[in-house]
Amino acid sequence: QVQLVESGGGLVQAGGSLRLSCAASGRTFSSYVMGWFRQAPGKERECVAVISWSGVRTKYADSVKGRFTISRNNAKNTVYLQMNSLKPEDTAVYYCAAKLRAGPWPPSQDDFGSWGQGTQVTVSS
């Protein structure tokens, strides 16, 4: 189990950029596959991006491909989500999540057992 705390959310204009950070506790951060999820009002939670324990493999939702980049710094126990060309439809609460690295790629939402509290991202028109 790992504890996660997101930060970096806020209000940004459409077309702007924002970088979310997720700080993880514990000494085994590199053992986890990390993901970013989001939930907009009235919508189901969706997977935005996933990154393997090594950072070599990544997976993105079609809606964010080419705009968002997930990365991690295991030495800092931190995973990032760089969001560029933001759109109003990106407005949501963004959650960081973690799962043990074992298993198929890419993992499903149900595989993530540790979740942060979320950070609000609001994109204005």
Side-chain angles (χ1 to χ4, degrees):
Q1 185 173 208
V2 60
Q3 293 179 315
L4 308 170
V5 180
E6 304 94 336
S7 63
L11 176 64
V12 64
Q13 294 180 342
S17 298
L18 206 60
R19 189 178 78 160
L20 305 183
S21 297
C22 174
S25 66
R27 302 175 63 186
T28 57
F29 179 71
S30 63
S31 297
Y32 290 88
V33 173
M34 303 297 298
W36 283 99
F37 298 78
R38 68 185 181 187
Q39 188 164 26
K43 296 184 178 180
E44 296 292 321
R45 186 176 63 195
E46 64 176 338
C47 182
V48 176
V50 178
I51 187 167
S52 66
W53 68 272
S54 65
V56 173
R57 293 187 292 182
T58 57
K59 194 73 174 181
Y60 297 92
D62 289 340
S63 59
V64 306
K65 286 182 179 178
R67 300 189 299 118
F68 290 10
T69 302
I70 188 170
S71 62
R72 67 190 297 162
N73 188 327
N74 288 346
K76 296 182 178 180
N77 286 2
T78 304
V79 63
Y80 307 93
L81 184 68
Q82 179 66 46
M83 304 183 292
N84 298 324
S85 301
L86 283 162
K87 306 174 181 179
E89 48 263 46
D90 294 319
T91 296
V93 176
Y94 283 71
Y95 298 91
C96 177
K99 71 170 291 292
L100 291 173
R101 66 188 185 187
W105 183 265
S108 67
Q109 286 194 44
D110 293 339
D111 294 326
F112 289 83
S114 298
W115 295 82
Q117 294 297 304
T119 184
Q120 176 70 46
V121 172
T122 302
V123 184
S124 62
S125 301

